[in-house]
Amino acid sequence: MTAILHTGDPERGVLWQGVFAEQMPEVQFLCSPDAGALQDVRYLIAWTLDAGLIARLPNLEVLFSIGAGVDQLDLSLVPPHVRVVRMIESGITTTMVEYVAMAALMLHRDIPFYLSEQREGRWSHADVLLCSERTVGVMGLGELGKASLQRLREQDFRTLGWSRSGAEIEGTRCYSGDEQLGAFLGQCDILVCLLPLTDETRGILSRELFTRLPRGASLINVARGGHLVEPDLLEALDSGQLRYAMLDVADPEPLPAGHPFYGHPAIMLTPHIAGVTRKDTAVHSLIANVRRALAGEPFEGEVDRQRGY
Ligand code: NAP
Ligand code: GLV
C-alpha cells in the first residue's frame, strides 16, 4: 500500500490522519515512522528533516513542505530524484496578507514611535500622512507577494513590486532583476521582503540595499531571518537611514536573550507568526497534491531544486 509519513506536531498528524482516512483511504497516513512499513512510504510531509529518517525511506518520491518556504529543509539529505513541493494554501496566504497590511499600517502611522513615547511617559505627535501618500514596495511577487500587494492597494497605498523575472500586476508597477532593483528601491517608503531564502537572496537586506532606499524608509521582513544582515539594520536605524523595522523572522529563532533587537525602540518583533499553515485548510491542499502525484499530474507548488524555490 502507498503511504504518506507525517513528521512534526503530533496533534496535526492525528487530525490529518482522520481526514485522509475519510477522503483518501487508498493512501495510508502514518503519524510517525514507527506506525507502519517504511518501504511503503512514497510521500513525506515535514517542516524540517531528520537525516536518519530519510535514509530509512528507500521508496520516497515526493517531499512535501509543511510551509510555503523550503529553505528549512536540508535538501542535501534528499536524493536528487525526490521531488520537492512547497505548501500553497489559503490559511498561509490569508494570515500573511493580514500581517503585511497590519505591519504596513503600523509603520505608516508611526506606532513604534508612539509605543516608545508611551513607555517614556511622553505625549507627542508625528506628522500624519495618507496611505495614498506612501509607497510600499514588495520584494518577491509569488503567491504571498501578489496577495499582499492586492490588500495594500485596497488600503490605498501606492504599490511597487520587484522579482527575478518581473510580473504584470494591475495597479502595481513591477520591476525585475538586479538592473532594476535600484529604481524600485529608490521609491519605497516601506519595503516588504517576501523572497524565498536562496543562495542568491541570503543577506539581501544589507547596508548596500538600505542606502538605496529613501532616507527614513521602513522595513518589514516576513520572509526569513537569513535575508537580513543584522548589524547593517542596527546601523541603518541608528543613523536614521531607516526609521522602523518590523521583523517576523530571525536567525536563529528564537533570538537569543539579550539580543539588541529586543529592546530597540525602532524595531517591532513577532515570533514567526505572519503566515501560518492552518491545520484545517492545509490538509486539503496536501490531499489535492497527493492526488496529482497518484495521477501523474503536475503539482501545485513544485520547487525547482536548482533554483532553491
Ligand atoms: P513564491 O511563490 O515561490 O514566490 C517567490 C518570489 O520571489 C517570486 O516572485 C520570485 O521571482 C521571487 N524571487 C526568488 N528569487 C529571487 C531573486 N534572486 N531576485 C528577485 N526575486 C526573486 O514564494 P511565496 O509562497 O510567495 O513565499 C515567499 C517566502 O515567504 C517563502 O519562501 C518563505 O520564506 C516566506 N514565508 C514566511 C512566512 C512567515 O510566517 N514569516 C510564512 C510563509 C512564507 P520569479 O517570480 O521571477 O520566480
Ligand atoms: C513559514 O515560514 C512558511 O514558510 O510557511
Side-chain angles (χ1 to χ4, degrees):
M1 189 179 193
T2 294
I4 179 164
L5 172 62
H6 171 275
T7 62
D9 181 6
E11 198 185 308
R12 181 182 57 217
V14 170
L15 184 81
W16 287 11
Q17 189 176 46
V19 181
F20 266 76
E22 249 175 46
Q23 298 191 9
M24 215 182 190
E26 67 275 28
V27 173
Q28 187 187 16
F29 190 99
L30 304 180
C31 288
S32 85
D34 311 319
L38 291 187
Q39 71 268 21
D40 291 343
V41 172
R42 288 165 60 189
Y43 312 122
L44 173 64
I45 170 96
W47 170 248
T48 53
L49 291 182
D50 169 344
L53 175 64
I54 294 291
R56 292 167 63 206
L57 302 176
N59 297 315
L60 183 65
E61 292 173 15
V62 189
L63 167 61
F64 292 103
S65 171
I66 292 279
V70 294
D71 57 283
Q72 70 285 352
L73 295 161
D74 179 356
L75 296 184
S76 70
L77 300 171
V78 182
H81 68 271
V82 173
R83 296 164 75 183
V84 178
V85 180
R86 68 204 174 80
M87 181 62 78
I88 298 180
E89 70 98 11
S90 61
I92 301 181
T93 309
T94 305
T95 49
M96 179 59 81
V97 165
E98 275 178 6
Y99 186 100
V100 170
M102 173 217 42
L105 282 171
M106 285 182 90
L107 302 187
H108 164 65
R109 293 306 302 263
D110 289 286
I111 297 304
F113 168 75
Y114 292 116
L115 288 176
S116 87
E117 289 298 278
Q118 175 184 346
R119 277 191 291 266
E120 299 297 324
R122 287 195 295 254
W123 186 272
S124 51
H125 300 86
D127 287 343
V128 174
L129 296 188
L130 301 174
C131 288
S132 57
E133 295 171 310
R134 196 87 78 175
T135 300
V136 183
V138 175
M139 305 175 86
L141 302 176
E143 205 61 33
L144 302 178
K146 280 187 177 152
S148 300
L149 276 164
Q150 184 182 333
R151 179 67 62 83
L152 292 165
R153 283 192 305 274
E154 288 163 7
Q155 202 65 55
D156 220 19
F157 283 113
R158 297 184 302 222
T159 56
L160 302 173
W162 178 79
S163 65
R164 208 164 70 117
S165 57
E168 295 238 332
I169 303 177
E170 207 182 319
T172 297
R173 180 152 185 212
C174 293
Y175 296 79
S176 64
D178 289 345
E179 54 299 337
Q180 293 185 3
L181 181 59
F184 163 77
L185 291 172
Q187 305 170 69
C188 295
D189 301 313
I190 298 175
L191 179 69
V192 180
C193 180
L194 263 169
L195 292 166
L197 184 63
T198 65
D199 291 344
E200 284 180 34
T201 64
R202 185 176 296 282
I204 192 169
L205 302 174
S206 64
R207 178 191 296 126
E208 201 220 326
L209 180 143
F210 299 145
T211 55
R212 297 164 92 179
L213 291 166
R215 188 167 174 80
S218 292
L219 172 70
I220 298 170
N221 187 15
V222 275
R224 288 290 186 262
H227 288 117
L228 177 67
V229 182
E230 293 183 358
D232 292 5
L233 175 64
L234 290 171
E235 180 192 284
L237 288 169
D238 294 345
S239 72
Q241 175 57 23
L242 288 190
R243 185 156 169 78
Y244 308 123
M246 181 131 187
L247 310 175
D248 180 57
V249 284
D251 184 18
E253 289 178 358
L255 271 183
H259 190 284
F261 285 0
Y262 279 116
H264 199 293
I267 295 179
M268 298 188 79
L269 288 178
T270 50
H272 203 141
I273 46 78
V276 180
T277 301
R278 295 263 316 188
K279 293 189 190 71
D280 55 343
T281 44
V283 66
H284 301 294
S285 298
L286 178 63
I287 286 179
N289 261 339
V290 173
R291 283 196 204 291
R292 291 182 185 107
L294 293 172
E297 290 168 5
F299 291 117
E300 186 180 35
E302 181 154 4
V303 169
D304 176 334
R305 291 188 59 175
Q306 285 302 111
R307 250 180 10 176
Y309 72 97

